[in-house]
Amino acid sequence: MALRFYNTLTQELEVFKPLIGNTVRMYTCGPTVYNFVHIGNFRTFTFQDILRRWLRYRGYELNHVMNVTDVDDKIIVNAAKEGRSIEEYTAEFTRAFFEDAAQLRLEQPEHVSLATKHIPAMVNAIEKLAAKGYTYESEGSIYFRIAKFPQYGKLSHNDFSGIRAGARVDVDEYDKADARDFVLWKARKEGERYWETPFGDGRPGWHIECSAMAMEYLGDTLDIHAGGVDLTFPHHENEIAQSESITGKPFARFWLHSEHLQIESQKMSKSLGNFFTLRDLLNMDYAPEAIRYLLAQVPYRKKLNFTFDGLKAAARSIERLRDFELRIQSAKLQPGRSNEATERSEEAIRRFEASMDEDLNTAEALAAVFEYIRATNTALDEGQVKEDNRWEAARVLEIFDKVFDVLSPTPSSATLSDAAIEAKIEERKQAKSARNFALADEIRTLLLENGVILEDTKDGVRWKRK
Ligand SMILES: [Zn+2]
């Protein structure tokens, strides 16, 4: 069976292959670093991680670019409130984002591009649009004239034919179905960070960022552009208008959008008190891999209802997987091979692959794995699994974990406070001076298991977290 994705642009499931050679050129909209990233956004980033891993499993190389929006309306407001520069302000949240992403085991894209480091590419794109007559200036800002791009609306499948010419919008995010000329370059405002350009001082709009950086790294036509469903309009619609007006070529062949996440069947919002960052959940002592599992288990085009019961169930599912892994590793088995067991493993892999190939149906893929575990446990109870079947079962888990990546436990370094570590080191020192080396070693091992590394130096013991 062929790998197929649902393409928002055509509203159909289509067979996917990269346009050129074996490399998938992919762009995903990254975080706007004005705060800690919430769990709804991490659903999108987890979907993109699963997508990356499955493309690689299918033998493709990846050239994946993700932007970091480190200048925008919210950043400017928040940084000013704290009396900090936007550079200082965004550096902290950019670092936090990548720490969170690492906790969720999200792979790093091949290129992470900061908007503020790519201003010349954006200026260049705006100049090209201006030369072709797609822009106009008003009060120092530059706008894109959407009436000049008749295909506007083709991604979100909205009919914008009746829009008012000349109506324009200065903010980056605006209401659905409210198509207006959008801002490419915002005129300099007193006290705001600005860049000098031939068409005036100011800063880029959000939409031009993605078009300019995507084309700079990936060329005129991308294989895949992905993001959360809320970006379809206006953001992605605007990216298409800008890019295709410049190149005259399709901007992206496949558009993949992940659905919203709800919390306990409600829209997540600060006012409802159900707004969670990843850090909030980790502070409640949920394991990052359980959160990853919960975010990954619902196919990306379905709404995900995030519940705390669901999170506990995810942790139990991981336990079952780990128990099975241990059983397979350590079971005493008769020599030889059971053909039935071989066939069961092969069938599980076939089903897993077919489910993932069908627009990343993670729910079906997991069902295949759990049915396999159930049947194999029964066969183990009955002595129907032989020594030569052991590696076959291990391979089912290995394939599963290449995508889901939840089998290895996260070291719980965060649970030991600095004071607790110092206390343990003191305890070890005393054990050593009492020549109780076994205890001293035990303490060292315990700390290591908690992600703390000790170094004995001539000035005493130094420690660091892994
Ligand atoms: Zn974007």
Side-chain angles (χ1 to χ4, degrees):
M1 247 188 43
L3 174 58
R4 304 203 299 172
F5 294 132
Y6 181 86
N7 189 348
T8 308
L9 191 63
T10 59
Q11 297 184 302
E12 275 172 21
L13 274 168
E14 292 178 49
V15 172
F16 176 80
K17 273 198 177 67
L19 189 61
I20 306 163
N22 199 45
T23 303
V24 177
R25 288 162 307 118
M26 172 159 91
Y27 187 89
T28 57
C29 295
T32 301
V33 281
Y34 68 100
N35 210 331
F36 294 114
V37 171
H38 64 68
I39 199 70
N41 288 137
F42 273 118
R43 192 230 175 154
T44 300
F45 296 123
T46 304
F47 141 63
Q48 287 158 3
D49 183 67
I50 301 284
L51 171 62
R52 279 182 59 91
R53 289 166 183 254
W54 193 248
L55 287 166
R56 254 211 329 272
Y57 181 85
R58 279 310 189 200
Y60 296 120
E61 311 255 322
L62 283 165
N63 187 5
H64 172 192
V65 178
M66 183 185 77
N67 68 309
V68 172
T69 300
D70 59 349
V71 55
D72 95 324
D73 301 342
K74 287 182 290 244
I75 289 169
I76 288 170
V77 170
N78 286 13
K81 240 188 259 169
E82 294 191 10
R84 298 157 80 189
S85 71
I86 65 164
E87 283 82 357
E88 192 193 337
Y89 186 80
T90 56
E92 180 189 335
F93 290 111
T94 305
R95 198 166 48 242
F97 171 75
F98 285 107
E99 283 169 12
D100 290 354
Q103 289 270 6
L104 284 178
R105 307 180 184 189
L106 307 183
E107 295 179 349
Q108 278 248 18
E110 282 62 35
H111 299 279
V112 171
S113 56
L114 300 185
T116 54
K117 298 273 186 285
H118 294 77
I119 302 290
M122 298 170 209
V123 170
N124 187 264
I126 294 169
E127 285 184 319
K128 282 183 182 157
L129 287 170
K132 291 184 162 192
Y134 284 98
T135 67
Y136 61 91
E137 187 260 318
S138 175
E139 294 173 30
S141 291
I142 312 282
Y143 296 86
F144 184 93
R145 197 189 298 279
I146 61 172
K148 257 209 92 160
F149 188 74
Q151 303 164 59
Y152 195 82
K154 68 178 174 180
L155 181 70
S156 51
H157 301 278
N158 282 323
D159 179 9
F160 291 126
S161 52
I163 54 148
R164 279 189 302 138
R168 56 185 175 269
V169 58
D170 281 316
V171 292
D172 288 324
E173 291 170 75
Y174 43 95
D175 280 347
K176 299 259 176 288
D178 183 14
R180 287 190 271 169
D181 293 347
F182 55 90
V183 69
L184 297 164
W185 190 259
K186 301 187 185 201
R188 175 183 173 184
K189 281 198 204 126
E190 193 54 43
E192 282 188 6
R193 180 83 168 84
Y194 68 94
W195 286 264
E196 288 172 16
T197 75
F199 43 80
D201 295 350
R203 63 183 172 91
W206 173 35
H207 315 297
I208 196 69
E209 256 181 45
C210 286
S211 283
M213 292 192 284
M215 293 194 291
E216 170 147 318
Y217 288 99
L218 302 173
D220 293 348
T221 301
L222 326 175
D223 289 309
I224 297 176
H225 194 312
V229 69
D230 51 323
L231 298 187
T232 313
F233 181 86
H235 184 53
H236 290 161
E237 203 74 73
N238 292 350
E239 282 188 43
I240 290 176
Q242 295 163 153
S243 304
E244 300 192 357
S245 297
I246 291 171
T247 66
K249 296 177 200 160
F251 177 44
R253 299 166 56 232
F254 282 76
W255 286 87
L256 273 56
H257 290 103
S258 60
E259 258 295 343
H260 287 294
L261 172 145
Q262 295 182 313
I263 303 267
E264 308 280 354
S265 304
Q266 285 187 303
K267 191 176 172 3
M268 181 164 73
S269 78
K270 285 198 169 132
S271 58
L272 285 174
N274 65 358
F275 185 95
F276 297 102
T277 64
L278 179 68
R279 282 152 197 252
D280 294 332
L281 298 173
L282 296 177
N283 286 336
M284 293 156 89
D285 268 346
Y286 290 103
E289 61 269 32
I291 300 167
R292 176 180 167 86
Y293 185 99
L294 181 52
L295 295 179
Q297 71 177 354
V298 175
Y300 74 96
R301 283 199 301 123
K302 285 214 167 101
K303 279 205 175 70
L304 191 155
N305 186 22
F306 189 102
T307 67
F308 286 94
D309 282 346
L311 198 46
K312 287 175 195 123
R316 284 195 300 274
S317 297
I318 294 172
E319 271 320 299
R320 282 183 58 205
L321 288 154
R322 288 177 183 163
D323 288 349
F324 181 73
E325 183 184 36
L326 189 66
R327 188 170 187 193
I328 279 301
Q329 284 165 354
S330 56
K332 286 212 163 33
L333 302 174
Q334 300 290 328
R337 173 192 301 270
S338 149
N339 287 336
E340 245 175 84
T342 301
E343 175 49 36
R344 198 164 33 239
S345 298
E346 285 173 358
E347 176 58 21
I349 293 169
R350 269 197 301 274
R351 260 190 76 192
F352 185 87
E353 289 178 343
S355 305
M356 292 301 292
D357 278 348
E358 192 68 352
D359 201 26
L360 309 177
N361 192 334
T362 48
E364 282 293 322
L366 285 171
V369 171
F370 278 101
E371 273 168 41
Y372 171 74
I373 290 177
R374 204 172 306 126
T376 304
N377 272 327
T378 307
L380 280 161
D381 294 342
E382 294 167 352
Q384 298 299 320
V385 178
K386 303 284 165 60
E387 187 55 51
D388 293 349
N389 300 121
R390 195 193 296 276
W391 72 269
E392 297 165 348
R395 191 170 136 69
V396 175
L397 285 180
E398 190 192 316
I399 290 171
F400 155 81
D401 212 41
K402 271 188 182 163
V403 180
F404 284 89
D405 197 358
V406 293
L407 284 180
S408 66
T410 301
S412 51
S413 59
T415 58
L416 273 190
S417 66
D418 288 7
I421 294 167
E422 303 282 359
K424 282 282 164 207
I425 290 172
E426 183 55 35
E427 210 181 300
R428 176 169 171 266
K429 192 172 142 197
Q430 285 174 11
K432 269 181 149 179
S433 46
R435 304 193 66 75
N436 187 348
F437 298 112
L439 177 61
D441 280 349
E442 211 173 285
I443 293 169
R444 175 190 274 275
T445 308
L446 178 113
L447 288 170
L448 190 63
E449 278 167 3
N450 283 281
V452 178
I453 300 164
L454 301 187
E455 272 176 69
D456 289 306
T457 72
K458 61 180 184 338
D459 305 320
V461 177
R462 279 210 308 250
W463 65 271
K464 62 178 181 195
R465 293 182 199 272
K466 251 197 283 195

